[in-house]
Amino acid sequence: MRAIVVREFGGHPQAADMPTPEAGPGMLKIEIEAAGVNPFDQRIIDGFLDGKLQHDFPLIPGVDGAGRVVGIGPDVTDMEYGERVVGKFLNPPLGHGTFAEYIVVPATSIIARIPDEVTAIQAAALPTAGITALDLIHAAKVGAGQHVLIVGASGGVGSYLVQLAALAGAHVIATARPDDTDRMIRLGATEVVNYGRIPVTDSPTHAESSLLTVADSVRITLPAGVDVLFDLVSPPPAFADNASVVKAGGAAYTTTWAADEETLKMRGIRGGNFESTGGAPELRELLRDVGNGDLVVPIDNTPPLEAAADVIGASGARGKTVLVI
Ligand SMILES: NC(=O)c1ccc[n+]([C@@H]2O[C@H](COP(=O)([O-])OP(=O)(O)OC[C@H]3O[C@@H](n4cnc5c(N)ncnc54)[C@H](OP(=O)(O)O)[C@@H]3O)[C@@H](O)[C@H]2O)c1
């Protein structure tokens, strides 16, 4: 089968012909039509889980994938041939991922049927980023009238998070580069902070040298601060600065493990370093929302499988990149 592989940790992704796997007991074989790309794919390639989980080389990366069931293990009873499914497949040993024509996964994986109204490309864009966004909304208990600041809003997780927070009735402040401002508003943001590009004065002499931080810029319109911060990108110092605009009693979450949780606690702020733990129920909820038209799948780019090397670990996301197999 056609697949993308790396031959060592840190290796360059390249196209390869790999043996087609078959479904044994308890397993499902899926013909992958579309595979979502996430920053985590590059981290796995770089060896982030080396020593924690077994890896098989040549390693096929890819966690998110959508397609049809074409093989069912002898003891699997609740799945039918031809069923359209999507999943988040991070099953050890790693190296048998979704950037390939076929994948074999345990029937107990995070997997859900795709409703008729949802395409395979849309479905493949949902698992990792969508589940994380939904988990964050649930964890922070985002509610109507709250002010929610989302840093890193233009990427995969952020493009779902803006919509889910707006659906919950929150007033959403999203960071984005100037070229992405309109898209953030269409997704439901009420304010957009153009990060790194905010001159403190109108004077051309000061415009380059003095830039407002995201926190400074939020304080201009909201001196009392925000109820919730979701920070999807910042290293520790920038996270601490962003968290400085969260009101006491509010919540601040980072998906990049940038929080000093003791400091947050001392200020009476909930949250901290966040790990997504959602599974099939959350994936089904997202698929329902997309099928009903309540949630837009923010597709940025749909390159063919063979172009995987150009998009794995790439910066500049404007929503989701999905490989078409
Ligand atoms: N802990 C967990 O359970 C969990 C789960 C999912 C994801 N994550 C992590 O969460 C992060 C975000 O994931 P993702 O899928 O949304 O990534 P992504 O699709 O690559 O999006 C990141 C976005 O942030 C923007 N950005 C970069 N630097 C920024 C800055 N200083 N201020 C504001 N925006 C900035 C990027 O645009 P530009 O490049 O144009 O600036 C891009 O649009 C990743 O580190 C991922 O590994 C963690």
Side-chain angles (χ1 to χ4, degrees):
M1 66 173 181
R2 291 181 299 119
I4 296 299
V5 301
V6 294
R7 299 189 182 278
E8 60 194 345
F9 286 127
H12 186 70
Q14 54 191 243
D17 192 20
M18 293 289 286
T20 301
E22 297 303 334
M27 307 295 274
L28 295 169
K29 176 178 172 181
I30 299 165
E31 183 176 10
I32 300 287
E33 291 171 38
V37 179
N38 294 286
F40 198 53
D41 301 322
Q42 182 65 52
R43 299 183 75 194
I44 289 175
I45 290 171
D46 289 342
F48 176 67
L49 295 176
D50 187 16
K52 299 189 186 92
L53 293 179
Q54 188 193 321
H55 295 65
D56 288 345
F57 286 90
L59 177 146
I60 303 173
V63 171
D64 294 348
R68 284 181 190 278
V69 175
V70 293
I72 301 179
D75 51 350
V76 179
T77 53
D78 59 348
M79 199 54 84
E80 288 178 16
Y81 282 92
E83 195 101 62
R84 298 172 69 234
V85 292
V86 57
K88 176 178 170 182
F89 304 120
L90 190 64
N91 306 303
L94 300 186
H96 307 271
T98 56
F99 298 172
E101 279 182 284
Y102 297 93
I103 185 171
V104 165
V105 297
T108 52
S109 300
I110 297 174
I111 191 166
R113 290 180 175 79
I114 305 174
D116 290 344
E117 315 77 56
V118 180
T119 67
I121 289 177
Q122 290 174 315
L126 279 171
T128 297
I131 291 172
T132 303
L134 194 55
D135 284 348
L136 283 165
I137 292 286
H138 291 159
K141 300 187 176 68
V142 172
Q146 287 186 332
H147 288 90
V148 175
L149 170 62
I150 303 175
V151 177
S154 45
V157 177
S159 295
Y160 289 118
L161 202 43
V162 168
Q163 297 181 71
L164 294 170
L167 273 174
H171 172 112
V172 178
I173 306 144
T175 65
R177 292 192 190 273
D179 66 321
D180 204 28
T181 301
D182 291 348
R183 191 178 68 93
M184 287 292 110
I185 299 287
R186 284 199 299 275
L187 290 178
T190 36
E191 284 180 50
V192 178
V193 174
N194 293 144
Y195 59 93
R197 301 275 183 89
I198 312 150
V200 173
T201 74
D202 289 337
S203 154
T205 49
H206 286 90
E208 287 305 316
S209 58
S210 314
L211 294 177
L212 281 180
T213 65
V214 169
D216 291 337
S217 146
V218 169
R219 276 190 201 98
I220 293 172
T221 50
L222 282 176
V226 300
D227 301 289
V228 178
L229 163 69
F230 294 127
D231 192 328
L232 310 171
V233 289
S234 301
F239 174 79
D241 194 44
N242 293 333
S244 71
V245 293
V246 179
K247 295 174 188 167
Y253 291 90
T254 157
T255 58
T256 55
W257 292 76
D260 176 346
E261 295 187 334
E262 276 311 305
T263 304
L264 291 179
K265 222 178 273 171
M266 272 159 44
R267 290 185 47 220
I269 294 171
R270 293 177 287 124
N273 299 308
F274 184 81
E275 198 63 51
S276 170
T277 53
E282 286 73 18
L283 186 52
R284 283 195 292 271
E285 181 175 340
L286 292 161
L287 286 160
R288 256 196 321 273
D289 287 348
V290 173
N292 293 340
D294 291 333
L295 186 68
V296 171
V297 178
I299 303 287
D300 181 13
N301 190 14
T302 55
L305 177 67
E306 286 66 27
D310 299 335
V311 295
I312 299 171
S315 61
R318 299 290 175 267
K320 292 294 304 175
T321 292
V322 177
L323 294 170
V324 177
I325 316 298

